Amino acid sequence: MTTTLRPEPGLVEPTDLATSLWADVAPVLRDVPEPLDAALHSLLRAAIPLMVSAANGEDLWSEETATRIRAHVTKIADATNDVTPIVGMVSELTSRVLHVVMSGGAGRPAGSPRAVSAAGSRLVAELLAGAHHTTTRKHRGTLAKGRSQRAQELLRGIRTEADDDYDLAPAYAVVAVHCGEPLDTATMIGTFEQVASDGTLTALGPAGGFALLPAGDEARAAQLTRQAHAALPGRVWMSVSWRPRGEVAWGRQEAGKVLSLALAADHRPGVYLLADLLVEFAVAREPTVSDNLVRIIDPLLQHPALLETLKVLVATDGNRSQAAERLIIHRSTLDYRIQRIEQLTGLHPGSVRGINVLSAALTAHAVAAQAGRASTQLAHRPGGNS
């Protein structure tokens, strides 16, 4: 687009200033393609009154005005990669208004040249800031796609070429994420990037997914994950496995399994490590042991109150006072239920061994039930075995 304004006008009366400025930009506007044309018209409809008011000694600039100007600038920056011609136009319009103000004489605007310059400078600053912000946003969008692809490759164990790993960290916290309610993907990505730095890689959606956070050791991996969890809204479950870059795919399997176990065991939202579910993890990997544990729980399935009591006892680490309070029952009622659980399972929930085995049995049963539901859903899909 050309930004050549019409020749320098002679002296302009105050009442004619806005008309004169519009006449100055008319040749430029005839040259501007859509959608830049509409965006530029909107900006000028806001900018020219500001300049005229400054020429008349008034300052109409406010936060509301700034917000409106920024919205117009964003549309301009979205429509063109180069705002330099438009900055030049605004600067020349500012010079025209200064010429009118400084010409003096009867009936001339009484505004301060400094006020006019300030108005023009504000407009130019907003143009430049808006262009920078929009360019950065576009770049981040392209970069996010690249980072998502990088994350997918690492999570799937696809090796990069030696000269293509310049932007990868030596080791990562492999974070598995599950959202109780859908979250905005951009919010999640931004949270992880803010916590861990620009080296963060993500493969996330509204329900969760995986994030790879550069981390030098296991302690740092756990720390970063907890910080991200604390910063996210809603009910979110996370698990983390620290791995060297070449073992990220193994970390994905471990973190994903730990997260599944935490969800199956009905644990509260939080951050879970392998150490938190070590017994359950080992049990889930050994079908024979898992089957035996499931059989321990089977007798309780016909007694919902006893099953719920056992879950609360596990959640409170066997603390009877807390369990009774959470269940809203008398302590003697709890003692009776504990006796019945021991009679049906052969394990006493009040002993360390008993509570540990029963906790693993609950998890094994939950995992088995989850797997059963998944198999049923698969069988009833079109093309499945029904």
Side-chain angles (χ1 to χ4, degrees):
M1 58 174 281
T2 175
T3 57
T4 304
L5 302 187
R6 70 188 180 92
E8 184 77 24
L11 294 179
V12 178
E13 292 298 324
T15 54
D16 296 332
L17 182 54
T19 302
S20 175
L21 292 178
W22 275 110
D24 289 344
V25 299
V28 175
L29 296 177
R30 283 196 295 268
D31 255 354
V32 178
E34 288 284 2
L36 180 57
D37 177 42
L40 186 54
H41 266 86
S42 296
L43 175 68
L44 291 172
R45 278 196 293 271
I48 287 178
L50 287 174
M51 292 184 175
V52 173
S53 68
N56 286 299
E58 302 171 356
D59 184 3
L60 297 185
W61 192 273
S62 65
E63 190 55 43
E64 182 182 351
T65 302
T67 300
R68 189 166 61 250
I69 293 289
R70 287 166 195 160
H72 299 324
V73 167
T74 298
K75 291 179 181 178
I76 288 174
D78 278 332
T80 178
N81 291 324
D82 183 12
V83 299
T84 304
I86 299 169
V87 169
M89 178 198 298
V90 171
S91 297
E92 192 168 347
L93 285 175
T94 304
S95 297
R96 297 291 175 94
V97 177
L98 280 172
H99 174 76
V100 171
V101 170
M102 296 177 70
S103 64
R108 302 288 177 241
S112 158
R114 181 177 296 176
V116 174
S117 295
S121 296
R122 283 169 175 168
L123 289 168
V124 169
E126 291 296 344
L127 272 167
L128 294 176
H132 173 73
H133 174 76
T134 303
T135 301
T136 301
R137 175 167 51 80
K138 290 178 180 177
H139 175 67
R140 284 173 67 86
T142 302
L143 193 60
K145 293 180 182 177
R147 286 179 176 174
S148 178
Q149 183 177 353
R150 282 292 221 193
Q152 295 284 358
E153 290 174 350
L154 287 172
L155 289 165
R156 290 162 54 195
I158 298 175
R159 296 187 178 276
T160 58
E161 299 294 335
D163 59 351
D164 194 35
D165 62 359
Y166 64 93
D167 59 342
L168 298 179
Y172 287 95
V174 184
V175 184
V177 183
H178 174 77
C179 304
E181 300 79 28
L183 287 182
D184 177 63
T185 303
T187 297
M188 284 194 284
I189 293 174
T191 297
F192 280 113
E193 288 181 347
Q194 184 176 8
V195 165
S197 81
D198 288 339
T200 298
L201 303 174
T202 55
L204 292 164
F210 288 90
L212 304 179
L213 316 181
D217 53 39
E218 292 184 15
R220 179 62 173 165
Q223 178 189 26
L224 291 173
T225 306
R226 291 192 176 102
Q227 288 176 0
H229 182 271
L232 285 173
R235 299 182 308 127
V236 180
W237 288 259
M238 293 183 186
S239 62
V240 56
S241 172
W242 179 78
R243 295 282 176 155
R245 185 172 66 210
E247 298 178 12
V248 165
W250 293 105
R252 174 185 63 80
Q253 293 183 21
E254 179 183 297
K257 188 65 176 178
V258 169
L259 182 60
S260 295
L261 290 170
L263 292 169
D266 202 25
H267 287 318
R268 295 180 178 181
V271 175
Y272 294 92
L273 311 179
L274 176 59
D276 299 323
L277 295 158
L278 198 56
V279 174
E280 292 87 343
F281 188 86
V283 166
R285 296 186 62 180
E286 179 49 61
T288 302
V289 176
S290 182
D291 291 344
N292 286 332
L293 286 170
V294 169
R295 281 195 285 272
I296 291 175
I297 293 298
D298 278 343
L300 298 182
L301 300 182
Q302 306 303 318
H303 304 277
L306 297 182
L307 187 62
E308 179 64 20
T309 298
L310 178 57
K311 290 179 179 179
V312 172
L313 282 167
V314 168
T316 56
D317 293 323
N319 187 306
R320 297 189 184 192
S321 297
Q322 291 183 15
E325 183 177 348
R326 188 175 297 184
L327 289 164
I328 317 178
I329 60 175
H330 194 272
R331 179 66 178 268
S332 61
T333 303
L334 177 64
D335 290 340
Y336 169 75
R337 291 184 183 181
I338 289 174
Q339 291 175 10
R340 290 289 292 142
I341 291 171
E342 183 176 10
Q343 290 171 1
L344 292 170
T345 64
L347 293 163
H348 180 45
S351 68
V352 174
R353 176 180 178 276
I355 198 68
N356 285 337
V357 174
L358 288 168
S359 174
L362 281 173
T363 301
H365 176 265
V367 170
Q370 190 178 63
R373 285 193 297 270
S375 298
T376 301
Q377 291 169 359
L378 183 62
H380 285 85
R381 288 178 185 172
N385 297 321
S386 55

